[in-house]
Amino acid sequence: MSRMSREFGLVLLGAGILTAGYFAAPAPEDEMEKIADEQAADRTGHDRTHHRHGMVPLFLFIHSPAYAGNASGRPSAYSPTTRAGGFGSAGRAFAGGGS
Amino acid sequence: MHRMAVEPRADWQRKVEALGLHFHTLGGEPYWDESACYTLSKFEVDSIERATYALWEMCLELVQHVIDNRMFGLFLIPPEFEAIVIRSWDEDWPSIYGRFDLAFDGVGPPKLLEFNADTPTGLVEASVAQWHWLKETDERGDQFNSIHDRLLEAWAAAKASDPAPIHFAAIEGNVEDYITVEYLRDTAIQAGIQTAYLNIEAIGYDTARKRFTDPQNRVIQNIFKLYPWEWLTKDTFAQHIPASGTKWIEPPWKMILSCKSILPLLYQLNPDSPFLLPAWFEAPSFGSYVKKPIHAREGANIQVVRNGVAEQETTGAYDTSVCVYQQLASLKEHDGMYPIVGSWVVHGWACGIGIREDGNMITQNTSRFVPHKMSD
């Protein structure tokens, strides 16, 4: 019922792949903390640190499993009849969609 | 259920970062906090497991009830989305996961505080980080945690029902959401599914094909989105969702369960359940209760009323015009902290817990995640 009887592997998060590669621009480790803190403040309305800066993490995923890896980190190939950007605006005020 | 002070592992920050948990510290204070742990007996774990299964069953019955009685307005589901809610339910579109937040004192039955049915986070912490913590600190120790295994099963089942690739999307620039989605994509890959990640903002709509596409111009047939339905249905592209042919995970019928209107309705339908607190659509005229906006999250915009007097309130940016009211749960204090048990249901399995604690009674997204283990 409860016991996980075997060790398990992680394809994306394990082996430091994600850790090493997912910022397009090098970011100091402590920037992660600031970003996470700002996002928490945005959601709760509490600014615990009073840090404010304009950096937004740009994720560039370097691992490429069979299908494509990261569809956001490549040059766009939208067709001429395609528009993007129609999702995301309702969530912008809240920083994140998790609960 | 007891809280124990324990010695954090040396260099614990690097250890959890290696598992993807980069958001372990907020404002200089640990969010992932391994200076303590909770121990639970087998009896207590059984109680949580039993409650989780019962709540899940009640939730599924509630969805059927809402559909049968066309009660969509109670959940602020736009009329143009009613058909896709029904279709996703009737066609059994894949549902991967959800998290019940429970008040539990270790003595009485766990009580449902809310159900994070659509976009639950805290997943990497519960499934991966606390398991590695346990194996390193107590190799023979046990934990209520088969979340990872059940996720592999859930994706395998999703693949069996539809082998097409699945896109994974989160809002741009949020570390926690991105890591959560990448962990879920990880488990989908391990289940043999072809996947791709994209930001929710990068989803395109091709007016010629009338399909959603990714930046590589590939049609999005299936998509897991860590982006709540109540936001999706407000965005510009919302109008294209019903006829787009895209299957969404979590499915549209989760619009019902992710809304706090389920709390009074669950209580109306199951007034004798030991796992439910009394809840109402109107404010009680007396007593102690919690006022919750039906679409707020992470403990924002909550008001605690004790004996008719507002005692505590959190801020936030959510719409507070429509609220529900739930009897105030008695939370047991442990060393000055109030723990909430997040009980995961994955592919219908009650399969593990993550415990969040805070110095006050409202758990918010800055509340600490504390690992747990089972006592002998």
Side-chain angles (χ1 to χ4, degrees), chain A residues 87, chain B residues 81 83-85 87-88 91 93-94 162 164-169 198 200 203-206 209-214 218-225 229 232 237-238 240-253 255:
Chain A
F87 287 125
Chain B
F81 282 86
I84 198 172
V85 169
R87 186 154 66 89
S88 68
E91 294 178 358
W93 289 13
D162 184 348
I166 301 177
H167 285 75
F168 287 74
L198 78 170
I200 199 90
I203 294 173
Y205 183 70
D206 185 338
R209 287 183 286 181
K210 299 189 185 311
R211 299 296 305 265
F212 289 116
T213 65
D214 71 11
R218 296 172 300 198
V219 167
I220 298 174
Q221 301 176 73
N222 300 304
I223 185 167
F224 174 91
K225 82 309 169 280
W229 271 108
L232 274 180
F237 279 176
H240 303 308
I241 290 175
S244 67
T246 297
K247 272 188 185 164
W248 301 79
I249 306 171
E250 293 296 311
W253 59 264
M255 282 187 231

Side-chain angles (χ1 to χ4, degrees), chain B residues 104-121:
Chain B
F104 184 51
D105 61 8
V107 181
K111 301 284 190 184
L112 176 66
L113 297 174
E114 63 182 51
F115 184 26
N116 299 285
D118 187 17
T119 60
T121 49

